[in-house]
Amino acid sequence: MAKNLKKGDEVEWESHGGKGVGKVEKKVTSETKEAGRKVKASKDEPQYKVRSEKSGGSAVHKPGALKKRS
């Protein structure tokens, strides 16, 4: 589980086609619309908008779904 990620951090996650790899674009700390969907985030339960290295698309993930790459 990745906590306290910041913009530019490289992360990976499990996706439909295997492992996704990308970079954190921003930390989402309020309910908003990001990456084409409604995100229910808060300061206590943030989510992270990431851009896929492979597809170039953006998605929002909960911290438990992301692993910081070393």
Side-chain angles (χ1 to χ4, degrees), residues 3-35:
K3 287 189 177 184
N4 299 318
L5 294 170
K6 61 187 180 307
K7 183 176 180 175
D9 283 347
E10 288 193 5
V11 293
E12 58 186 48
W13 61 92
E14 294 298 322
S15 70
H16 312 317
K19 190 177 287 189
V21 176
K23 288 187 178 181
V24 173
E25 291 191 314
K26 72 182 209 177
K27 183 177 185 178
V28 181
T29 57
S30 63
E31 194 170 307
T32 187
K33 189 169 184 176
E34 286 287 347

Side-chain angles (χ1 to χ4, degrees), residues 2-3 16 20 38 40 57 66:
K3 287 189 177 184
H16 312 317
K38 188 174 182 180
K40 291 188 176 185
L66 297 171

